[in-house]
Amino acid sequence: FRKGYSTHSEDCPYEWHQGEEDIIVTTPLPVGRDPSKLEVVVQPEHLKVKFPGERPLLDVPLRFPVKAGETLWSVSGGQLEVTLVKREKTKAWCSLAAKGPEIAPQSAFAQMIDDPGVQAPTFDELSPQGKYLVGVMRELEEARAQNNQAAIQAAEHELQGLSLSLPV
């Protein structure tokens, strides 16, 4: 099970994590409900989970588009798990919801790298943009190790400036 990020509120408790190609969303189901009656509706930019005639358990406008027709879902141990396939593979999502709480870009990339189903390329196999990103990440880690605030800010600014659709 990959490291997840939780979003808990009275209206929308869920946990999500990502791999290189997918997003997995889990949420508890009400006790005693028949999961065969559950409606999971996925559109390219929206996820909705509900029982007929009731308020949705999840109603999430997604940060980025997914391949709605390739969605898989299952129920086990009172938990619903929905697997969304990213439309843009390797795009790191900093939040599940379009206007939801965000994680740092570094955390989003780390989560993708921790995906056990992915064989990570070697440095030499990376694209020029990938090699540049690794260099900036190394600079950031070195700056943190030295507690060099100016260098930390510069590296974080550089990460924000990359055209990776990674808001901070």
Side-chain angles (χ1 to χ4, degrees):
F1 190 72
R2 292 177 248 168
K3 180 170 47 175
Y5 295 94
S6 297
T7 299
H8 293 283
S9 71
E10 192 173 299
D11 296 329
C12 192
Y14 62 83
E15 182 174 289
W16 68 281
H17 57 272
Q18 66 186 306
E20 187 172 319
E21 299 180 5
D22 62 8
I23 301 284
I24 298 178
V25 182
T26 57
T27 189
L29 294 177
V31 176
R33 298 304 309 264
D34 180 0
S36 69
K37 299 195 183 313
L38 194 61
E39 296 176 359
V40 178
V41 180
V42 179
Q43 298 173 335
E45 296 182 6
H46 202 95
L47 168 63
K48 185 182 279 190
V49 176
K50 68 183 197 104
F51 286 98
E54 296 183 18
R55 195 169 134 235
L57 299 170
L58 291 178
D59 193 0
V60 182
L62 301 171
R63 176 170 283 291
F64 297 113
V66 297
K67 296 178 181 179
E70 295 182 29
T71 298
L72 300 173
W73 63 274
S74 64
V75 175
S76 178
Q79 294 276 327
L80 169 68
E81 179 176 285
V82 180
T83 302
L84 305 168
V85 178
K86 295 177 180 180
R87 186 174 288 169
E88 294 181 54
K89 294 179 182 181
T90 71
K91 178 175 268 192
W93 290 30
C94 291
S95 75
L96 177 68
K99 295 182 180 177
E102 296 181 356
I103 59 174
Q106 301 90 325
S107 296
F109 277 113
Q111 193 178 52
M112 288 174 51
I113 291 168
D114 288 342
D115 183 353
V118 174
Q119 177 65 35
T122 65
F123 183 80
D124 290 337
E125 294 170 328
L126 292 174
S127 67
Q129 185 181 24
K131 289 177 181 177
Y132 182 73
L133 176 62
V134 168
V136 174
M137 293 296 291
R138 285 179 179 161
E139 290 173 14
L140 177 61
E141 290 305 312
E142 184 176 324
R144 286 182 176 159
Q146 297 173 358
N147 198 24
N148 182 336
Q149 294 302 312
I152 291 171
Q153 287 180 339
E156 287 176 345
H157 179 74
E158 187 66 26
L159 286 172
Q160 290 174 0
L162 293 175
S163 60
L164 299 172
S165 301
L166 297 173
V168 173

